[in-house]
Amino acid sequence: MRLTALAAGLTSAIVASSAAPAFAGHSGCGGRIIECYTKVQLPDVYATQARSVLVRPGFRQVIKTPPVVINRAARVVVSPGRTRAIGVPAVYGTSHQRVMVQPASTTVTYVPAKKHVVHETVVVHPGGVRWEHKRGLFGREKLCKVATAPVTKTTTREVVVAPARRLAHVSPAVYQTVATPVVLRPASVRHIHEPAVTALVHRPVVVRQASQHVILHPPIYGVAHERVLVRQGGYGWAAAGEGRAHY
């Protein structure tokens, strides 16, 4: 716009200069003066012009909404339930029983024969008669027939009073009270169920998810007033005696 105004001013000055009379360009004019002009400097001509200017360009505004999170109580399993096996030992007691320590037995004893010593007189020679020759008191011989006593002999011998024999001796069985361990209750396995252990914990729960939306802001324009050059100054001719210049 300024270049256009400057070009217009120059054109006007040239036209004005060429249109003036040939004799009106100096201070000493001839005798027949109709009009007289003086060459003067002309100022630039300005005007106030309104134009639209961009105050703020348009833009996109992204507004993000954070998620809504609350703490919600929930019961969780800390330790799961399980079944545990426990061994129950056997229960023992004492049983008193009469047992045979030694069985009955039979012992055979040999009993020798029982003898008795017997003294017995035995006639070795029976008595008889024999002649004996004897002398008397006065030397007279006599032959006498005399009876002789029997000759005996005492002998010793054993007489079996009781014959030998075998005696059977029976020994009874020997019994004794013995304490014997007995199982009153056998060993077993007992199963114990342990329930699960739970606890109350607070966990963050998203009630509403995060979101975003876009706001389009249009550009903002304003009006700017500025002085623009309408016509560029230069040189022109002004009528002598007048304060007005001619382009």
Side-chain angles (χ1 to χ4, degrees), residues 231-247:
R231 188 173 60 200
Q232 188 175 7
Y235 290 95
W237 296 98
E242 299 181 3
R244 185 168 60 87
H246 295 276
Y247 285 94

Side-chain angles (χ1 to χ4, degrees), residues 118-122 153-157:
V118 177
H119 299 281
E120 183 180 4
T121 301
V122 181
K153 181 182 178 181
T154 302
T155 59
T156 302
R157 65 183 179 89

Side-chain angles (χ1 to χ4, degrees), residues 2-28:
R2 290 184 178 182
L3 292 177
T4 304
L6 180 58
L10 290 175
T11 305
S12 299
I14 294 171
V15 171
S17 298
S18 61
F23 53 83
H26 49 82
S27 58

